[in-house]
Amino acid sequence: QGFKDNLHAVFCLAENAVGPRATRPDDIHVLYSGKTVEINNTDAEGRLILADGVAYACKDLGADIILDMATLTGAQGIATGKYHAAVLTNNEEWEKACVKAGRNCGDLVHPLVYCPELHFSEFTSAVADMKNSVADRDNTPSSCAGLFIASHIGFDWPGVWVHIDIAAPVHAGERATGYGVALLLSLFGGASEDPLLNMVSPLGCNGDPPPEDMERDSKRRRLV
C-alpha cells in the first residue's frame, strides 16, 4: 500500500485448548516483560499473549508507536456498542486521530476512559505484580483490560500506545465484518505514498498533494 516506514505486524496467537500444560487458577506466570501475573481468571487469557506482544514490540523491535487490536472483552459491546470499537491510548492526539480515521473509513471508534492511576489497582495481587482479571467487573472492565496490556510496556513509556478493542464490531450474526483493516489503513495512511490513503489519514497530511520537490520526513516512524 505504498508504506515506506518501518512497519511490523505482530500476531499474538495461541491455541485455547485444555491440556496438561493449560493455565490453572492461582498459577503465576512470568511474562516477557519480566512482570509476574497471578491467574485469577482463566478466561482472561488473550491479554497474556497481547502483553507479550507489546513487550516484544518495545524491547526487540524498538517501536515508538505500538497499536494493539483484539477482540478482548465482551464489555466493549456494552461500553461503546456493536458499531463502534473502543480505543484506549496514552496520547490525546492519537485518540482524536483514531476517532477521525474511523469516521473517514467507516470503521467507527469511540474513546474509553484512560486513567491508570485509578483503575490499575483492580489488578492488585498479594503474591505477584498483578492479577490477570479485575476485582470489580463494574469498574470499567474494558479500560482495565487495556491497562493490563499497557502495564507491560510501562505507563511511563515515552512512545505512543494505542489499544483498540474490537470485540463487538468484528461480527454481524454468524458472519465476520472485516472490521479493522480500513481503520489501520486510514490511521497510518499518512506514512504511505498512496494519495488516497494520504487523503483519508488524520495524521501527517492535510489532504493536499505534496510538492514534487518536498523531501520526505526524515524521522523514521516505526509502527506496529
Side-chain angles (χ1 to χ4, degrees):
Q1 300 296 327
F3 285 91
K4 300 299 182 182
D5 294 289
N6 189 7
L7 172 69
H8 299 273
V10 178
F11 292 85
C12 304
L13 306 174
E15 185 177 11
N16 190 2
V18 175
R21 299 184 63 188
T23 296
R24 296 174 172 84
D26 300 330
D27 280 354
I28 296 178
H29 294 324
V30 180
L31 269 60
Y32 191 62
S33 64
K35 298 181 185 297
T36 55
V37 177
E38 176 191 356
I39 304 301
N40 66 326
N41 183 350
T42 55
D43 192 42
E45 83 290 349
R47 65 194 63 182
L48 301 176
I49 54 173
L50 283 168
D52 278 356
V54 298
Y56 173 79
C58 181
K59 293 165 62 174
D60 293 74
L61 300 178
D64 51 20
I65 301 169
I66 297 176
L67 184 148
D68 70 82
M69 178 182 286
T71 56
L72 194 63
T73 65
Q76 175 273 309
I78 299 172
T80 62
K82 64 181 181 180
Y83 301 114
H84 293 72
V87 62
L88 187 72
T89 175
N90 64 355
N91 186 290
E92 186 177 6
E93 178 188 1
W94 278 76
E95 179 184 278
K96 294 177 181 178
C98 286
V99 172
K100 187 174 181 179
R103 290 174 179 169
N104 287 347
C105 72
D107 283 354
L108 300 172
V109 180
H110 191 78
L112 291 174
V113 175
Y114 177 79
C115 192
E117 63 271 29
L118 294 181
H119 294 148
F120 190 65
S121 59
E122 290 290 341
F123 296 104
T124 299
S125 169
V127 293
D129 292 319
M130 66 194 77
K131 293 182 179 180
N132 77 317
S133 189
V134 293
D136 184 357
R137 293 192 178 189
D138 291 330
N139 190 16
T140 186
S142 290
S143 289
C144 290
L147 295 177
F148 177 93
I149 297 168
S151 70
H152 292 272
I153 54 176
F155 295 120
D156 57 349
W157 184 59
V160 174
W161 168 75
V162 181
H163 165 72
I164 301 180
D165 193 334
I166 60 174
V170 295
H171 64 84
E174 297 181 353
R175 301 293 183 181
T177 62
Y179 182 98
V181 177
L183 178 62
L184 292 177
L185 288 172
S186 176
L187 183 61
F188 294 128
S192 168
E193 293 184 344
D194 185 299
L196 178 60
L197 294 184
N198 280 186
M199 183 175 67
V200 299
S201 175
L203 292 167
C205 183
N206 59 9
D208 298 323
E212 290 295 326
D213 58 348
M214 183 180 292
E215 292 184 359
R216 287 180 53 83
D217 185 0
S218 61
K219 182 178 183 293
R220 295 181 65 206
R221 290 187 295 170
R222 295 180 296 278
L223 312 177
V224 174

